[in-house]
Amino acid sequence: MPAAAHLVAINFAALMFMIPVGLASAVSIRVGNAIGRGDPGGARYAGLIGVLIILAIQTVSASLMMLFPEHIVRLYTDDALIAPLAVSLLFYAAIFQYPDGLQMVASGALRGFKDTRRPVLYMVVAFWIVGLTLGYHLTFAREMGPAGMWVGMIAGLSVASVLLLRRFNRTSKAFLQH
């Protein structure tokens, strides 16, 4: 039952994640084009606009999950045992919409700057060390069940978004000074 509820929530979150994936690709291209034409200010601007756009998009996505979780779950199942847990997991999915979108767009902007090595290290630390370790601890040692893994995922995504946004800020400012 927990696996089925998780599948419902993560499937809808993944569906919503396709928008940040597409936007990250667009931001990567826009940043890369600006760098290619010798416009570091335009590259920084493209990245910052991407961040603003993703904040607006993720607000809509998170709002859907917060305001209409029962309706979303009903699209997947009407099982009385699965639905309540799936609804509760959509709350966690709503929370991670912001850091998930931000880390994706920041990563795309950094790809446009041809900055990929450090972001990969940030992802390893954020997801494998912070997210997975915390999720495992909360799920099993603290006996939070499926919610523990989702809290770990939120923590990992939050760490990734902070590190990648900070890296984007530093990288884009460094390009301005060249």
Side-chain angles (χ1 to χ4, degrees):
M1 233 175 345
H6 167 78
L7 185 61
V8 168
I10 202 69
N11 184 272
F12 189 77
L15 179 67
M16 295 293 100
F17 185 65
M18 294 303 105
I19 298 169
V21 169
L23 183 60
S25 292
V27 168
S28 180
I29 291 165
R30 298 267 328 226
V31 169
N33 284 342
I35 293 298
R37 71 174 177 268
D39 182 10
R44 180 171 168 80
Y45 180 77
L48 292 173
I49 290 298
V51 168
L52 290 176
I53 291 170
I54 202 62
L55 287 173
I57 290 169
Q58 297 306 80
T59 296
V60 171
S61 178
S63 296
L64 285 173
M65 291 181 207
M66 292 290 257
L67 297 174
F68 306 108
E70 293 87 4
H71 299 289
I72 293 167
V73 169
R74 222 176 292 133
L75 294 171
Y76 292 88
T77 185
D78 57 0
D79 187 308
L81 296 175
I82 296 170
L85 181 55
V87 165
S88 72
L89 294 178
L90 274 176
F91 169 77
Y92 295 102
I95 292 171
F96 79 60
Q97 292 305 293
Y98 290 103
D100 203 13
L102 288 169
Q103 65 89 21
M104 195 68 203
V105 168
S107 180
L110 289 168
R111 277 192 304 275
F113 281 108
K114 296 182 182 174
D115 183 4
T116 56
R117 288 187 183 164
R118 180 114 9 125
V120 167
L121 294 175
Y122 290 167
M123 300 280 193
V124 168
V125 168
F127 298 131
W128 288 97
I129 297 173
V130 175
L132 190 60
T133 303
L134 180 62
Y136 182 87
H137 174 74
L138 294 175
T139 299
F140 298 107
R142 296 288 182 175
E143 298 179 7
M144 285 181 65
M149 197 53 74
W150 284 72
V151 171
M153 190 166 26
I154 292 167
L157 287 166
S158 297
V159 168
S161 67
V162 167
L163 292 173
L164 291 169
L165 286 169
R166 192 179 84 192
R167 179 74 177 178
F168 164 73
N169 190 46
R170 287 182 179 172
T171 300
S172 63
K173 282 184 177 177
F175 267 78
L176 287 173
Q177 296 172 358
H178 282 88

